[in-house]
Amino acid sequence: MIRELVLGCPPGGRVVVAGLCMRPDTFEPAQALVKEIDLRFAYLYTAEEFARALAWLADGVCTVAPLVTRTIGLAEVPEVFDALSSSPQDAKVLIVPNREGETTT
């Protein structure tokens, strides 16, 4: 994934890798260097960043629907976490407490 981002990034651009990747990922540093790409890795966010993101979602500035790969109820959480630890196939799983037993993909 990082390789594709570096290849597609315009010269002088910025690539931010946010979150965790549980698989090996390789790229050619020379390609980022020649294009003078700012490559950053982020793991934690501030309370202000969470508040801003929540406000954007509430105001409809951005939508996350394309990222949600599955919606589950609370009873399904252990099963889904077990599946994600061995073979992550979902990007984002939305947990809806009042959706017991109802799963959409």
Side-chain angles (χ1 to χ4, degrees):
M1 177 65 115
I2 297 173
R3 179 180 179 275
E4 296 302 317
L5 292 169
V6 167
L7 289 174
C9 186
R14 176 183 295 166
V15 172
V16 179
V17 180
L20 297 174
C21 178
M22 302 306 290
R23 297 183 180 162
D25 198 349
T26 60
F27 69 99
E28 294 78 27
Q31 292 181 358
L33 178 68
V34 170
K35 293 168 80 175
E36 295 185 346
I37 292 174
D38 180 2
L39 181 58
R40 297 180 183 208
F41 293 84
Y43 179 64
L44 299 173
Y45 305 96
T46 66
E48 292 81 16
E49 289 169 320
F50 275 111
R52 185 173 42 231
L54 185 57
W56 287 343
L57 291 172
D59 294 341
V61 173
C62 63
T63 178
V64 295
L67 299 176
V68 177
T69 56
R70 190 184 321 186
T71 301
I72 63 170
L74 282 175
E76 298 164 281
V77 170
E79 174 188 329
V80 171
F81 266 92
D82 286 342
L84 288 171
S85 67
S86 61
S87 176
Q89 46 189 314
D90 287 308
K92 296 289 181 193
V93 177
L94 180 63
I95 302 168
V96 180
N98 60 355
R99 272 190 111 145
E100 293 301 326
E102 184 182 339
T103 302
T104 62
T105 52

